């Protein structure tokens, strides 16, 4: 009787273990540091950023000089001249801020350039991670450097369609 229970427990444990999900993690920063094209892209983006930052600094420096000149000459100016000089300073400041936003803003040229340069590198890393996951028969791979970002997931564990159905929606039909 004890042998039967022991064999049943061992079989149940082995059966349960065979269905366990296999997980792993990667360190994406460590991987990227080994890629020459990543280092080259970082240098290119840094150079471009420095160039644009110098231009922004020059524009704000010019605005500062104009404002100081305005303050020095303000006593000698007519009200009409004061308004024109103030408008000139304000216009230049607005143009400088617009330029800064155009280059460094969330949808700025630096962000777009970064995306364009980094996307092929990230795609290459993602394909390598997927290949490793498939060759090692892994179900999930997490990135050590980020907060629970799924880099690869076995599609059989994807419950997205069930959640969509549970919400009363139809999988594959996207909101417009």
């Amino acid at each position: 009787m004890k042998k039967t229970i022991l064999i049943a427990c061992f079989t149940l444990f082995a059966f349960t273990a065979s269905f366990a999900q296999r997980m792993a993690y990667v360190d994406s920063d460590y991987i990227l540091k080994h890629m020459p094209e990543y280092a080259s892209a970082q240098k290119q983006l840094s150079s471009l950023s420095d160039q644009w930052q110098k231009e922004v600094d020059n524009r704000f420096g010019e605005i500062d000089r104009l404002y100081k000149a305005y303050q020095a000459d303000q006593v000698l100016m007519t009200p009409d001249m004061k308004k024109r000089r103030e408008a000139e300073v304000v216009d230049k400041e607005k143009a400088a801020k617009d330029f800064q936003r155009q280059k460094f803003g969330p949808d700025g040229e630096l962000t777009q350039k970064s995306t364009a340069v980094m996307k092929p590198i990230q795609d290459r890393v993602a394909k390598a991670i997927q290949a490793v996951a498939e060759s090692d028969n892994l179900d999930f791979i997490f990135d050590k450097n980020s907060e629970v970002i799924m880099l690869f997931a076995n599609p059989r564990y994807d419950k997205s369609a069930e959640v969509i159905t549970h919400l009363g929606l139809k999988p594959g039909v996207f909101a417009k």
Side-chain angles (χ1 to χ4, degrees), residues 4-38:
T4 308
I5 292 174
L6 186 61
I7 290 173
C9 287
F10 180 72
T11 305
L12 181 63
F13 175 73
F15 183 73
T16 307
S18 69
F19 286 108
Q21 298 172 353
R22 297 193 55 202
M23 294 182 231
Y25 72 91
V26 295
D27 185 345
S28 59
D29 287 343
Y30 182 73
I31 294 168
L32 291 172
K33 286 179 183 175
H34 285 79
M35 298 181 71
E37 55 266 33
Y38 177 75

Side-chain angles (χ1 to χ4, degrees), residues 143-158:
D143 186 358
K144 177 182 176 185
N145 294 317
S146 62
E147 294 183 28
V148 192
I149 291 181
M150 198 72 62
L151 296 175
F152 173 81
N154 192 324
R156 69 180 174 183
Y157 295 111
D158 185 5

